[in-house]
């Protein structure tokens, strides 16, 4: 099972504090990110690599907390 994915994008332009990014493999796919999330010095025309990692431990902890809340709520309904 792969817990990470990486891909390249082109920084097309910046407008209203958002970076418009084009997927290199298919430039019809566009998405935006706040420019604060880009590396310092990134500018229009740059090729960027974006990595997405699945945080298994944080996911398990969040699921545990949600399950506990649900159990507490169910307990409140029984009273």
């Amino acid at each position: 099972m792969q817990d990470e994915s990486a891909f390249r994008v082109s920084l097309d332009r910046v407008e209203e504090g958002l970076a418009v990014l084009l997927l290199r493999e298919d430039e019809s796919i566009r998405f935006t990110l706040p420019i604060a999330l880009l590396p310092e010095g990134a500018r229009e025309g740059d090729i960027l690599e974006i990595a997405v990692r699945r945080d298994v431990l944080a996911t398990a902890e969040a699921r545990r907390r949600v399950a506990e809340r649900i159990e507490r709520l169910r307990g409140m309904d029984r009273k």
Side-chain angles (χ1 to χ4, degrees):
M1 179 170 62
Q2 186 176 351
D3 286 335
E4 180 176 306
S5 174
F7 52 93
R8 286 194 167 86
V9 297
S10 299
L11 177 50
D12 184 49
R13 63 189 181 278
V14 175
E15 47 188 44
E16 298 179 17
L18 295 175
V20 177
L21 305 169
L22 307 177
L23 187 64
R24 295 290 293 164
E25 295 163 358
D26 181 353
E27 291 190 345
S28 70
I29 298 174
R30 301 172 184 213
F31 58 99
T32 59
L33 287 177
I35 57 172
L37 296 178
L38 297 183
E40 188 174 325
R43 46 183 225 208
E44 292 177 2
D46 284 352
I47 306 298
L48 306 170
E49 183 174 271
I50 297 179
V52 180
R53 284 185 209 91
R54 189 170 158 256
D55 190 331
V56 176
L57 294 176
T59 299
E61 176 62 20
R63 287 181 177 158
R64 184 192 62 75
R65 284 193 318 268
V66 168
E68 286 177 358
R69 288 181 190 147
I70 290 171
E71 281 304 309
R72 279 197 306 267
L73 289 170
R74 285 183 179 154
M76 293 172 66
D77 287 346
R78 294 181 197 144
K79 293 180 182 180

